[in-house]
Amino acid sequence: MNHKEPLAFRMRPKTLEEYVGQEHVIGKDKILYRTIKADRLSSIILFGPPGCGKTSLARVISETTQYKFYKINAVTSGVADIKKVVEETKNFMLNPTGKSILFIDEIHRFNKLQQDALLPFVENGTIILIGATTENPYFEVNKALISRSMVIKLNPLTENDIYQVLKNALVRKDGLGEYNIKIEEGTLKKIAAISNGDVRTALNGLEVATLTTPMSEDGYIHLTDEVIKNSIQNRKAIFDKNGEEHYDNISAFIKSMRGSDADATIFYLARALNGGEDPLFLARRIVICASEDVGIANPNALVVANSAMQAIHMIGMPEARILLSEAAVYVATSKKSNATYMGINRALEDVQTKDTGEIPMHIRNAPIEKMKELGYSEGYLYPHDFPGHYVEQQYLPDKMLGVQYYNPDDL
């Protein structure tokens, strides 16, 4: 066989019935299924990780809609391409319906000007927009476009979903059906597991294995675990240190430390390091957690975290992972108290929003003798002159008497 297109391209579904996965939005009687079947689609923005079926879903729509379908890529297209689509859409000879569907792949790559160029035509219904992005559109797409579109999150495909696609690829003629392939069920499932939710990775691996394995004397191409291991990438980590996954992962890392789960803390730390996070950024997060969440329940946590951050400056990766792990686990397993964190927040809110009165005269500074004559520092009691180095006196302004910012618990 001499297919020009990759297997992943040939296996893209053409109908809703062929589409695998995303049952939460494309299952029967779900909103997207109903609108596609009725050809009553409104503008939508699809976002999800690579290989989850965004472009395939757009292709299904292109095969089922009565409207003229256009596809552009935001990386290589601009405002001129949008205007061309609009002109052809409005040309009654070319498009009697007066509407068209415009699929924009990687829509987050469009700048504000390019996205704004779409607005009037999306708003008046001339263009039904389908945007696809791997980034969170709430961060990357104009709010005006978001408000005029349905935002649909597509999830990574399950191992079972990918397994079904691989099974189909082995029997379809436009797939690998004309090759004599022998592969164990367990091996096929290993491909699905290694792909980590990316069906494109799975299909590419299966195709590489098939095309690079010679036929045996029995007339079959035997795809073993060893063949697959040498034909497919290592398990992909779905992590982009510059994208939404960065924020999700660091949030999970911090909350795991706060929640005293050492295993989850190490897991998210490893995920961050594997994704290329700056070790110093991670060290700073540990320092903050040591103060915010551990606090005076174990003040030594701040010392350990800060020492680790300073040492990372001198050591660097890969050894820095050891310091990060030690500091993170120490913080995770420490007793916790956020009393000082909550106290400063409440105090800041008061000084920013309330009339908090004036500092009592007896605790004001009096560097000049004449100031004492005006009452500065008069009546101040020096605590060290009293038993236990403590004496009761007023420190808060009159208007703030009785307020309590520091509320320590048992820890």
Side-chain angles (χ1 to χ4, degrees), residues 33-315:
Y33 179 91
R34 292 165 67 92
T35 54
I36 293 173
K37 277 292 187 181
D39 202 9
R40 302 291 295 176
L41 200 69
S42 59
S43 291
I44 59 173
I45 295 177
L46 307 169
F47 81 102
C52 69
K54 300 183 295 294
T55 306
S56 294
L57 188 53
R59 183 180 180 183
V60 167
I61 293 170
S62 72
E63 296 286 344
T64 57
T65 183
Q66 62 171 321
Y67 300 122
K68 196 166 179 65
F69 189 93
Y70 295 89
K71 176 184 176 181
I72 62 175
N73 189 298
V75 176
T76 56
S77 305
V79 174
D81 299 280
I82 296 172
K83 289 181 176 178
K84 183 180 178 182
V85 171
V86 172
E87 288 172 4
E88 290 188 13
T89 300
K90 290 182 174 180
N91 188 323
F92 183 75
M93 298 295 293
L94 295 174
N95 188 2
T97 66
K99 285 187 175 184
S100 63
I101 294 178
L102 175 59
F103 173 60
I104 304 179
D105 202 8
E106 306 290 341
I107 191 172
H108 64 278
R109 300 283 188 182
F110 266 172
N111 59 35
K112 187 178 185 300
L113 177 65
Q114 293 166 319
Q115 292 185 29
D116 285 345
L118 287 165
L119 275 177
F121 309 109
V122 171
E123 189 166 26
N124 65 24
T126 301
I127 287 178
I128 298 170
L129 171 68
I130 302 177
T133 174
T134 55
E135 303 294 330
N136 189 325
Y138 294 106
F139 298 147
E140 305 293 341
V141 179
N142 286 1
K143 290 181 180 179
L145 271 181
I146 291 286
S147 68
R148 291 163 175 80
S149 308
M150 281 196 302
V151 178
I152 296 176
K153 186 179 188 304
L154 301 186
N155 300 322
L157 294 181
T158 66
E159 290 183 17
N160 187 59
D161 291 335
I162 296 175
Y163 172 75
Q164 293 301 325
V165 173
L166 294 173
K167 289 279 285 185
N168 292 339
L170 290 172
V171 298
R172 275 176 45 171
K173 285 189 176 182
D174 60 343
L176 300 172
E178 295 188 16
Y179 289 87
N180 291 328
I181 298 173
K182 278 195 174 181
I183 183 170
E184 297 289 334
E185 295 287 309
T187 303
L188 210 58
K189 289 180 179 178
K190 283 184 180 178
I191 301 175
I194 293 171
S195 64
N196 210 21
D198 187 338
V199 71
R200 192 180 297 111
T201 295
L203 288 169
N204 287 344
L206 182 62
E207 184 175 34
V208 168
T210 301
L211 297 178
T212 58
T213 304
M215 187 177 294
S216 300
E217 292 181 359
D218 61 1
Y220 287 96
I221 297 172
H222 293 270
L223 301 184
T224 63
D225 286 356
E226 187 64 26
V227 170
I228 294 301
K229 180 181 177 182
N230 295 320
S231 303
I232 194 170
Q233 298 175 4
N234 290 332
R235 185 175 178 89
K236 284 180 158 185
I238 304 175
F239 189 95
D240 178 2
K241 65 178 180 177
N242 297 314
E244 179 193 6
E245 196 67 22
H246 156 82
Y247 299 101
D248 290 344
N249 195 80
I250 200 64
S251 175
F253 175 57
I254 292 167
K255 287 170 182 170
S256 297
M257 281 193 292
R258 179 182 299 145
S260 303
D261 190 325
D263 295 313
T265 296
I266 292 175
F267 169 74
Y268 290 114
L269 174 62
R271 206 165 179 267
L273 291 171
N274 187 59
E277 286 282 18
D278 180 1
L280 283 172
F281 168 78
L282 296 168
R284 288 193 294 272
R285 297 297 98 190
I286 298 171
V287 170
I288 293 168
C289 191
S291 181
E292 177 182 336
D293 296 301
V294 176
I296 60 172
N298 180 11
N300 196 51
L302 183 57
V303 177
V304 171
N306 193 57
S307 296
M309 183 173 67
Q310 291 176 349
I312 287 168
H313 273 288
M314 298 179 287
I315 295 174

Side-chain angles (χ1 to χ4, degrees), residues 339 346 404-409:
R346 284 192 292 267
Q404 189 172 0
Y405 295 116
Y406 175 55
N407 293 298
D409 53 26

Side-chain angles (χ1 to χ4, degrees), residues 359-398:
I359 298 172
M361 293 297 290
H362 66 281
I363 60 170
R364 294 192 189 189
N365 191 29
I368 300 172
E369 190 65 30
K370 289 290 185 182
M371 293 179 70
K372 291 183 179 179
E373 295 176 8
L374 296 175
Y376 284 78
S377 195
E378 183 180 348
Y380 173 63
L381 304 176
Y382 187 56
H384 297 293
D385 290 339
F386 295 85
H389 302 270
Y390 172 79
V391 62
E392 194 168 321
Q393 63 184 321
Q394 179 180 337
Y395 292 99
L396 282 169
D398 291 342

